[in-house]
Amino acid sequence: MAGKRNSYHSNSYHTRAYVEGNTARKLKPAQAPGVRSTQGVRRSVDYTVRRNQEKALQMDLPFVIMLTIAAICTLYLCVNYLHVQSSITSRIHNIELLEQDLEVLKSENDALETSINTYVDLDYVYEVATQELGMVYANKNQVIMYNKTESEYVRQYDDIPKH
């Protein structure tokens, strides 16, 4: 089977230009249709190709001007982008600092509130109010409960509705 494959590839080498193995064979370059293999014609074709390549590489004034304007616009956009990016970064850093300050203030506020709540002794307040100032609790018949449907809050000097 291996012999058939090698003979197949060796016969089709000239028609398909397929190379099997780790070495590549150098093929003859195919000539363009209508080009003779004589030196004079090849030189004129080479000269024409070289002239076309030189024309393609030449840059005229409008092209250079447009290229310069495009480069300047691109540079301006890049600098503007970097400026905006720097501004955003500095603002984010400023926000982080303000958030840290807020956390410190909240923790201080919570600590002060806790110290105030523990400082006030409600039993002492009741004792002073009832014994020294003569205050008494209201009786059940002195407390009137009512629902006010007009608004959500109670005004101090508003009329109390009668039952």
Side-chain angles (χ1 to χ4, degrees), residues 26-146:
K26 187 172 184 180
L27 300 176
K28 294 181 182 176
Q31 293 186 2
V35 177
R36 294 183 190 167
S37 62
T38 61
Q39 290 291 76
V41 176
R42 182 174 292 276
R43 285 184 187 162
S44 67
V45 170
D46 289 341
Y47 175 74
T48 307
V49 169
R50 192 175 309 129
R51 190 178 63 203
N52 287 340
Q53 287 175 348
E54 288 174 1
K55 283 183 181 178
L57 292 176
Q58 289 178 355
M59 292 187 281
D60 52 349
L61 185 63
F63 179 74
V64 171
I65 291 173
M66 289 300 293
L67 187 62
T68 305
I69 291 172
I72 289 172
C73 290
T74 304
L75 181 66
Y76 173 75
L77 289 175
C78 290
V79 169
N80 194 20
Y81 174 76
L82 290 175
H83 177 69
V84 169
Q85 190 70 21
S86 172
S87 174
I88 289 172
T89 303
S90 66
R91 287 182 183 175
I92 288 173
H93 181 68
N94 190 21
I95 288 171
E96 289 173 354
L97 291 177
L98 290 174
E99 285 177 347
Q100 289 175 356
D101 291 344
L102 179 65
E103 289 297 321
V104 168
L105 289 175
K106 280 185 178 180
S107 65
E108 288 177 1
N109 192 19
D110 291 342
L112 286 174
E113 185 179 6
T114 303
S115 68
I116 288 171
N117 288 339
T118 58
Y119 183 73
V120 176
D121 185 17
L122 294 179
D123 293 332
Y124 177 75
V125 171
Y126 175 75
E127 193 176 302
V128 170
T130 55
Q131 293 176 1
E132 292 180 15
L133 299 177
M135 297 177 77
V136 294
Y137 273 110
N139 294 331
K140 291 198 180 217
N141 60 357
Q142 291 176 331
V143 177
I144 300 172
M145 302 290 271
Y146 69 96

Side-chain angles (χ1 to χ4, degrees), residues 6-16:
N6 287 340
S7 65
Y8 172 73
H9 286 295
S10 64
N11 290 340
S12 65
Y13 169 73
H14 295 290
T15 57
R16 293 183 27 191

